[in-house]
Amino acid sequence: MERRYVIICTEYKGVFAGFATDTSGDVVTLEEARCAIYWATTKGIFELAADGPNKQSKIGAVAPRIELRKITAVIDVTPAAQQKWQEA
């Protein structure tokens, strides 16, 4: 399967970004994962996928790998937004 950069939202209001290869199951594994601790967007969560985190956002450190459960959304991230996530 193709590895793609996505945002994962969980039932517990967690927002994570990273590389996933399979998002179809009950458990999604992200590599090079980041957690959005706080985001100061004006266009909601989709702004994180379209434009990436802004300077007012707080993004956690990189975790090499994380398994997420209770997934509520999988959102594809644009290349420009991915770069901002990775630089945050």
Side-chain angles (χ1 to χ4, degrees):
M1 295 191 130
E2 180 183 337
R3 187 169 113 134
R4 67 188 223 247
Y5 204 84
V6 296
I7 291 174
I8 304 286
C9 300
T10 69
E11 184 177 309
Y12 306 106
K13 301 188 189 326
V15 175
F16 303 87
F19 289 100
T21 53
D22 182 8
T23 59
S24 63
D26 290 337
V27 178
V28 174
T29 300
L30 285 184
E31 295 177 345
E32 300 176 44
R34 309 289 301 261
C35 176
I37 298 164
Y38 172 80
W39 57 96
T41 61
T42 58
K43 299 176 186 171
I45 191 85
F46 292 152
E47 185 176 336
L48 290 175
D51 301 329
N54 57 34
K55 291 181 181 184
Q56 292 78 34
S57 299
K58 292 184 182 181
I59 305 300
V62 177
R65 184 171 180 265
I66 184 174
E67 291 181 353
L68 299 167
R69 293 167 174 77
K70 303 282 185 176
I71 308 301
T72 58
V74 178
I75 308 164
D76 285 321
V77 175
T78 66
Q82 176 183 338
Q83 183 174 351
K84 286 185 181 178
W85 274 96
Q86 292 175 311
E87 292 173 351

